[in-house]
Amino acid sequence: MAEHFRVNGGARLTGEIQVVGAKNSVLKLMAAALLAEGTTTLTNCPEILDVPLMADVLRSLGCEVRIDGATVEITAPAQPNEAADYRSVSKLRASVCVLGPLVARCRRAVVPLPGGDAIGSRPLDMHANGLRKLGAHTEISHGKVVAHAEDLKGAQIWLDFPSMGATENILMAAVLAEGTTVIDNAAREPEIVDLCRMLQQMGAKIEGSGSSTLTVHGVTSLQPTQHRVIGDRIVGATWAFAAAMTRGEVTVHGVDPHHLELVLDKLRTAGADTSTTDDSFTVAMAERPRAVDFVTLPYPGFATDLQPMAIALSAVAEGTSMITENVFEARFRFVDEMIRLGADARTDGHHAVVRGVERLSSAPVWASDIRAGAGLVLAGLCADGSSEVWDVEHIDRGYPRFVENLRELGADVSRVTSEPDR
């Protein structure tokens, strides 16, 4: 027996919704708590499956972790364990971000290669090379990343690609290194800024937050802190696409609309009306969306996490759209499931061409990752009849109260337990 979502199409989503902390931030902030002995408290945390999974990783390293709704308390020991538990690490990709803090605190780390979504190759070479520049000896062998260092010293580090994970690991190691580290071509995502802000609250000296160059002046120790997790722009954007696809009107609270300027601009091009405040935005669509082209790029470009939503929108838009994927090569696996739902789509290398149809067709489909699952549910809202979206544990890893939120906006969606029939 397994759970799936039953999605009945035809509803127009309307109303207001509150977005909580970002999945892509909270897991890294939890890892950063390893950098200071004592209790660090995170608030506005999303109640998603990945948070307790990350808590298990930290417990395997000797931390005490208490989760109480949207609050997570992490008490790091004076000397964390240097080796992370394989079973815990294998369940989520973000677990690799304990590598930098462990090298910084323990001068040694053993982290099994992490698991996570099947969206393509995400090698750890840049993580390892950055730590080597800081003075650590690193190797990847027998399914583990092993790093050790007598001392960490500041260095000039250039990233071949503005990888969030590599930026985070190098940054968290550099804050306790001797001297000054400069990270060029660093990731610029709001979640990186959130991590910098928390590290600064802990006593780190970081310059250039939000830019492509981070300058870190190492300190000898950090102190625990209390920090509010930034709102989840990917979840917020998902609701924006849902409003546009269903010709509805949704106001999203708890997200900085400046983090979604490109997304909102694309939706306006598609025909939506948008308005913003300091921490909310509204998307309203009266007619069938117009076709828009999308190209995924690191921030401030269009986020790869929103590529499935872009394809879902294109599938019901008037006209033909081209979606170009520049970050994760396997993300187009999602297109095969969209075709099950009646989408007129084909892929060629890094490109997908989608010719919009007036209405999709109901079908059983399977989610291959968090965002693909959300995109399939949105597509199901625009299909005739009742669709089934399986492997919903992926969606639960990234979207708190997903079904409940959809129902509050007027969608006919329910969680069902039954035997899958592939």
Side-chain angles (χ1 to χ4, degrees):
M1 302 297 286
E3 289 187 328
H4 69 272
F5 294 160
R6 181 171 294 146
V7 185
N8 294 313
R12 178 177 182 266
L13 299 195
T14 60
E16 301 188 15
I17 193 164
Q18 180 71 39
V19 171
V20 294
K23 168 190 179 293
N24 289 337
S25 188
V26 67
L27 305 177
K28 322 303 174 61
L29 300 176
M30 292 174 70
L34 282 165
L35 289 165
E37 179 183 358
T39 301
T40 290
T41 302
L42 301 176
T43 60
N44 196 40
C45 298
E47 296 182 49
I48 55 176
L49 287 180
D50 273 10
V51 169
L53 289 176
M54 191 65 183
D56 287 342
V57 173
L58 294 177
R59 290 186 183 109
S60 76
L61 297 170
C63 297
E64 296 178 9
V65 184
R66 177 175 174 267
I67 301 174
D68 183 10
T71 301
V72 177
E73 293 181 350
I74 303 157
T75 303
Q79 185 63 33
N81 300 332
E82 62 189 35
D85 176 64
Y86 169 77
R87 287 172 298 179
S88 300
V89 169
S90 65
K91 296 176 182 178
L92 76 163
R93 177 72 185 186
S95 57
V96 75
C97 64
V98 302
L99 181 64
L102 286 177
V103 173
R105 281 289 307 280
C106 307
R107 295 297 192 259
R108 180 173 170 80
V110 180
V111 181
L113 294 176
D117 288 336
I119 57 177
S121 174
R122 294 192 278 190
L124 300 179
D125 293 352
M126 283 189 288
H127 303 241
N129 290 337
L131 294 177
R132 288 190 194 106
K133 290 285 184 66
L134 294 174
H137 301 280
T138 64
E139 62 177 345
I140 301 174
S141 63
H142 303 290
K144 298 177 181 178
V145 183
V146 180
H148 59 91
E150 294 183 7
D151 293 296
L152 294 178
K153 295 185 181 296
Q156 184 88 25
I157 299 171
W158 170 269
L159 298 180
D160 292 334
F161 179 84
S163 159
M164 282 187 67
T167 299
E168 289 156 347
N169 260 326
I170 297 166
L171 173 65
M172 288 190 280
V175 293
L176 293 180
E178 179 184 345
T180 298
T181 298
V182 177
I183 308 172
D184 280 317
N185 200 27
R188 300 166 56 189
E189 277 78 1
E191 294 80 11
I192 297 288
V193 177
D194 201 28
L195 175 59
C196 289
R197 187 178 296 118
M198 176 170 147
L199 292 172
Q200 288 167 329
Q201 291 168 195
M202 298 172 74
K205 296 180 179 179
I206 303 169
E207 300 168 2
S209 175
S211 75
S212 58
T213 300
L214 293 175
T215 302
V216 184
H217 304 287
V219 297
T220 57
S221 64
L222 298 176
Q223 300 78 44
T225 190
Q226 179 168 321
H227 181 78
R228 179 179 173 84
V229 182
I230 194 173
D232 197 318
R233 63 191 171 98
I234 303 300
V235 172
T238 300
W239 302 129
F241 275 94
M245 290 176 62
T246 63
R247 307 181 197 183
E249 181 173 350
V250 175
T251 298
V252 180
H253 298 278
V255 178
D256 186 341
H258 293 296
H259 298 160
L260 293 172
E261 287 181 345
L262 181 55
V263 171
L264 296 177
D265 182 65
K266 288 289 186 181
L267 292 178
R268 284 191 292 269
T269 303
D273 293 323
T274 69
S275 59
T276 64
T277 69
D278 289 343
D279 65 348
S280 70
F281 63 87
T282 300
V283 173
M285 179 75 85
E287 305 293 337
R288 182 181 174 189
R290 296 190 295 267
V292 183
D293 293 337
F294 296 88
V295 178
T296 68
L297 288 168
Y299 189 86
F302 188 82
T304 181
D305 277 355
L306 294 175
Q307 183 241 83
M309 276 55 86
I311 291 178
L313 175 74
S314 301
V316 296
E318 185 175 358
T320 300
S321 303
M322 177 175 286
I323 296 88
T324 302
E325 175 57 55
N326 291 311
V327 182
F328 293 130
E329 72 279 2
R331 206 144 216 169
F332 281 150
R333 292 175 59 186
F334 159 82
V335 174
D336 290 337
E337 299 305 300
M338 284 294 301
I339 293 171
R340 291 179 190 268
L341 290 168
D344 183 354
R346 62 179 177 83
T347 60
D348 182 7
H350 289 273
H351 306 285
V353 176
V354 184
R355 295 176 176 84
V357 298
E358 181 69 33
R359 195 153 194 82
L360 296 171
S361 306
S362 57
V365 290
W366 281 263
S368 56
D369 64 78
I370 297 169
R371 311 306 173 185
L376 290 170
V377 172
L378 298 195
L381 294 174
C382 301
D384 56 7
S386 180
S387 298
E388 297 175 350
V389 179
W390 291 87
D391 293 345
V392 297
E393 66 276 4
H394 291 298
I395 302 173
D396 291 336
R397 287 181 46 223
Y399 290 87
R401 300 185 67 250
F402 189 65
V403 169
E404 293 82 354
N405 283 325
L406 282 169
R407 292 178 67 87
E408 288 166 8
L409 293 174
D412 186 358
V413 181
S414 56
R415 186 185 291 264
V416 180
T417 301
S418 63
E419 184 70 31
D421 182 17
R422 287 189 179 270

